Amino acid sequence: MSYINELEKLCEELECKFIPDCSLKEYNTFKIGGNCKVLISVNSTASVSSLVKFMKKNNVKFTVIGRGSNILVPDEGYDGVVLFFGHDFAYTALRGNMIECEAGTLLAYACVFAQQNGLMGMEKLFGIPGTVGGAVYMNAGAYGSEMSDIVCSAEYVDCNGEIHRADFNKEDFSYRKSVFMGTDNIITSVTLRLESGDSDEIRQKMSECMAQRTAKQPLEYPSAGSTFKRPEGSYASLLIDECGLKGMSCGGAMVSEKHSGFVINKGYATCNDVLELCDKIRDIVKEKTGYVLEMEPIILA
């Protein structure tokens, strides 16, 4: 723990917020989990670079989170430093028919920004929780649209703290996967290429997508969105529904009765409740259908 004081001084120099022994419950959409050693609210790519160099030099365990919409935090917390990409790292700029977003930009905000500037291509993504950086990392999508359809390039910091920029195309992504997965590269900004359109029509499509989400998804409960990835040849929600698992509970975790693809927090769920329920779901689905479900949320470890 000798690095803590040095890290705090570095954050003062970088003007990054430094929060020791921070509860992560308010930093993930499941509203679950314990504390981390330190949470740092990052404010620039240069800050990310400096912090990564510090972590490597001092052999400090760390991870990066955005708005925590696709993570599950253990009940015992995270034994390391969390770099938080939030409001302090969310600058967005218009460049013709392209939008440049820092990684902490809310995806919903980017969608509205595009609409306000008469740019289409993000309408179906409206309502997906989380940041632009996280959305690119996992190639988030909905209703037949994915981030890979619009990603033009990205800036990232490697494991040595060096800053890079690379161009991408659709072939660099697949279902819920990107070239960043399985690497130590940290997305710091993204450029999205869109098309000109009518602002009112774009707004209408966004409203329709949001209405569809509200009608079908249990947005009134904390969750990490779709709990399982779509298995080839079927849908996780369909398989779970066919197995009669709607409403199944473990402690405070429950399979949503509104959408069986969601495991929700009824208000008092622990991480262990969620994991136990997910294990039971996978076992039953495999036994009854032969399909093997894979969890979509990432467990901080």
Side-chain angles (χ1 to χ4, degrees):
M1 296 290 288
S2 59
Y3 66 86
I4 294 293
N5 289 337
E6 288 183 53
L7 183 57
E8 185 172 11
K9 289 179 182 177
L10 175 60
C11 288
E12 287 178 3
E13 294 172 7
L14 298 173
E15 299 183 346
C16 292
K17 294 174 185 173
F18 179 93
I19 309 174
D21 195 27
C22 180
S23 171
L24 293 175
K25 280 189 177 181
E26 298 308 312
Y27 289 87
N28 70 88
T29 58
F30 236 135
K31 302 301 180 186
I32 285 174
N35 295 8
C36 62
K37 295 292 186 202
V38 176
L39 183 137
I40 299 170
S41 183
V42 176
N43 58 15
S44 69
T45 296
S47 294
V48 176
S49 174
S50 296
L51 288 164
V52 169
K53 288 176 180 177
F54 176 93
M55 305 298 182
K56 182 174 183 180
K57 178 182 177 182
N58 293 277
N59 196 29
V60 177
K61 178 181 177 181
F62 75 97
T63 191
V64 175
I65 66 171
R67 302 307 167 90
S69 60
N70 199 45
I71 64 172
L72 187 57
V73 180
D75 299 317
E76 60 272 22
Y78 177 74
D79 187 28
V81 174
V82 171
L83 302 184
F84 172 59
F85 287 17
H87 293 297
D88 295 334
F89 195 36
Y91 178 74
T92 303
L94 184 66
R95 302 279 187 266
N97 69 331
M98 294 189 291
I99 295 176
E100 292 182 6
C101 306
E102 288 185 324
T105 305
L106 281 172
L107 182 59
Y109 174 82
C111 292
V112 172
F113 185 83
Q115 178 269 321
Q116 290 175 337
N117 287 281
L119 294 175
M120 62 182 186
M122 302 189 72
E123 307 84 70
K124 294 181 180 180
L125 302 174
F126 184 62
I128 295 177
T131 62
V132 172
V136 171
Y137 178 83
M138 67 168 292
N139 191 23
Y143 308 121
S145 181
E146 294 181 323
M147 291 300 293
S148 59
D149 299 329
I150 57 176
V151 174
C152 175
S153 64
E155 182 182 67
Y156 64 92
V157 172
D158 67 19
C159 62
N160 296 311
E162 300 301 323
I163 301 171
H164 306 268
R165 177 170 286 276
D167 296 330
F168 297 102
N169 54 49
K170 193 170 178 65
E171 287 67 40
D172 292 312
F173 300 82
S174 58
Y175 175 70
R176 300 299 175 265
K177 291 183 180 179
S178 74
V179 294
F180 292 98
M181 286 186 167
T183 76
D184 293 321
N185 296 330
I186 301 169
I187 300 169
T188 53
S189 72
V190 174
T191 301
L192 307 174
R193 180 183 287 117
L194 304 171
E195 297 179 8
S196 296
D198 181 82
S199 183
D200 291 336
E201 290 181 6
I202 295 169
R203 184 192 297 111
Q204 179 61 32
K205 289 180 182 178
M206 288 167 61
S207 297
E208 291 170 359
C209 286
M210 196 65 225
Q212 193 171 348
R213 283 180 179 280
T214 302
K216 294 184 177 181
Q217 298 179 4
L219 303 182
E220 65 273 25
Y221 290 98
S223 77
S226 297
T227 309
F228 298 98
K229 295 180 181 180
R230 184 180 69 211
E232 187 173 350
S234 189
Y235 292 90
S237 58
L238 176 63
L239 296 170
I240 294 168
D241 204 13
E242 288 178 345
C243 291
L245 302 181
K246 270 188 177 179
M248 182 180 181
S249 296
C250 283
M254 183 179 78
V255 178
S256 169
E257 295 177 323
K258 190 174 185 180
H259 190 308
S260 52
F262 285 62
V263 168
I264 61 171
N265 177 2
K266 293 189 287 185
Y268 53 93
T270 65
C271 179
N272 287 337
D273 289 342
V274 174
L275 294 177
E276 182 182 352
L277 179 57
C278 288
D279 283 343
K280 288 182 178 180
I281 293 168
R282 283 185 297 206
D283 289 345
I284 293 171
V285 169
K286 182 179 179 181
E287 179 184 352
K288 291 189 174 183
T289 71
Y291 281 94
V292 178
L293 296 181
E294 180 183 354
M295 280 188 68
E296 193 165 296
I298 297 168
I299 302 172
L300 291 195

